[in-house]
Amino acid sequence: MVQARNITKSFQAQVVLRGVDLSVEKGDVVAILGPSGSGKTTLLRCLNFLETADDGTLEFDGETFRMGHVSKRDIARLRKKTAFVFQNYNLFSNKTALQNVTEGLVIGRKMDKAKAMGIGRRALDKVGLSDRYDYYPHQLSGGQQQRVAIARALATDPEIIYFDEPTSALDPELIGEVLAVMRQLAEEGMTMLVVTHEMGFARNVSNKVIFMEDGQVLEQCGSKEFFENPREERIKAFLKTLGGV
């Protein structure tokens, strides 16, 4: 479904991605792990063209694109098949939960407002917010705001959702409600690529793990193999530090 090859990215003199390869098949839940500063978020943003990679290729649904030479039209077309959930929700503070979910459908996709509202309500129902349609972000907890962001992603009917550390901005007691929604999506077959520090999610929900350090992929394998039989000493040390083994 998604094949990335030799993705490179620098910010001025700082090399952030050093020839990254990854593979995601339909229905995969892939956890991207690694220490802070390893390039995980930059990789995710490059895959959705929120950042422009310097070089590399992306194959999506059988089409191949040169990462540094993709037209705005192709980017817009690709984004209709994807969704992105940010660390800090990225909600409009002056719009209700339902309006936040439907804004992209009505404005971006020119969808009939009544149809968009129906889709938005179903998406919010799915993430457990059927009683929060008319609440503004400041009236919601961080976990609820992130669930609105997930509902917004679901409303576009994406083929894959990219999650950038979706629980990192949450208080510990709110993390579980977001992970529960993500677990439900995984069980329903949603394809997800998730940058995370949540070892329980990576071990018990994802079926593949990518481990990055210093802008490179050190390991890419099944989750069971990664956690039960890590081959690299660096990965063993990482898991020990975070309680993953």
Side-chain angles (χ1 to χ4, degrees):
M1 180 179 178
V2 177
Q3 303 280 341
R5 294 288 178 266
N6 196 37
I7 306 300
T8 62
K9 176 65 178 177
S10 297
F11 293 102
Q12 297 180 341
Q14 182 183 8
V15 181
V16 181
L17 299 176
R18 305 172 186 270
V20 172
D21 297 345
L22 67 81
S23 176
V24 183
E25 302 299 331
K26 185 175 177 59
D28 276 349
V29 178
V30 182
I32 304 180
L33 308 179
S36 297
S38 58
K40 305 183 301 294
T41 290
T42 299
L43 173 61
L44 210 64
R45 291 176 65 87
C46 285
L47 292 176
N48 206 41
F49 299 97
L50 296 171
E51 299 283 356
T52 302
D54 298 326
D55 201 3
T57 61
L58 175 68
E59 183 179 321
F60 194 106
D61 279 353
E63 290 188 84
T64 301
F65 304 89
R66 284 287 305 278
M67 293 296 285
H69 306 277
V70 182
S71 69
K72 291 182 179 179
R73 178 177 295 180
D74 281 341
I75 290 173
R77 185 163 55 85
L78 285 167
R79 283 186 180 161
K80 287 184 177 180
K81 301 179 181 181
T82 70
F84 201 103
V85 176
F86 298 87
Q87 293 182 36
N88 294 310
Y89 329 134
N90 278 28
L91 301 179
F92 294 110
S93 62
N94 63 336
K95 296 186 181 298
T96 65
L98 183 57
Q99 289 170 334
N100 266 284
V101 173
T102 60
E103 182 79 1
L105 301 178
V106 175
I107 303 300
R109 301 197 177 187
K110 311 302 181 185
M111 185 179 292
D112 174 76
K113 187 174 182 179
K115 180 180 179 180
M117 289 295 179
I119 292 172
R121 291 187 186 96
R122 289 192 293 274
L124 287 168
D125 293 349
K126 191 174 186 66
V127 300
L129 294 174
S130 58
D131 59 343
R132 294 293 189 271
Y133 295 162
D134 298 323
Y135 282 57
Y136 289 87
H138 74 273
Q139 297 173 305
L140 301 171
S141 70
Q144 290 170 335
Q145 290 183 65
Q146 191 61 293
R147 283 189 281 155
V148 172
I150 294 173
R152 178 179 58 192
L154 291 172
T156 65
D157 193 25
E159 295 183 24
I160 184 171
I161 302 179
Y162 300 112
F163 290 85
D164 181 19
E165 298 194 35
T167 61
S168 67
L170 300 178
D171 293 333
E173 64 268 23
L174 300 177
I175 290 173
E177 65 189 59
V178 173
L179 293 179
V181 170
M182 295 174 66
R183 179 188 290 270
Q184 176 188 346
L185 296 179
E187 291 172 351
E188 294 173 357
M190 174 60 70
T191 307
M192 298 189 282
L193 189 58
V194 185
V195 172
T196 184
H197 289 293
E198 297 293 335
M199 292 297 104
F201 177 87
R203 183 167 194 158
N204 300 317
V205 180
S206 72
N207 66 306
K208 292 182 181 178
V209 170
I210 293 170
F211 183 86
M212 293 183 64
E213 187 171 58
D214 193 28
Q216 302 176 78
V217 172
L218 295 189
E219 183 67 279
Q220 184 170 186
C221 63
S223 299
K224 182 178 175 66
E225 178 184 357
F226 181 86
F227 285 100
E228 295 184 3
N229 188 31
R231 291 175 287 187
E232 299 280 345
E233 289 301 320
R234 175 66 186 93
I235 295 173
K236 292 178 183 178
F238 176 84
L239 291 174
K240 186 176 182 179
T241 300
L242 293 184
V245 293

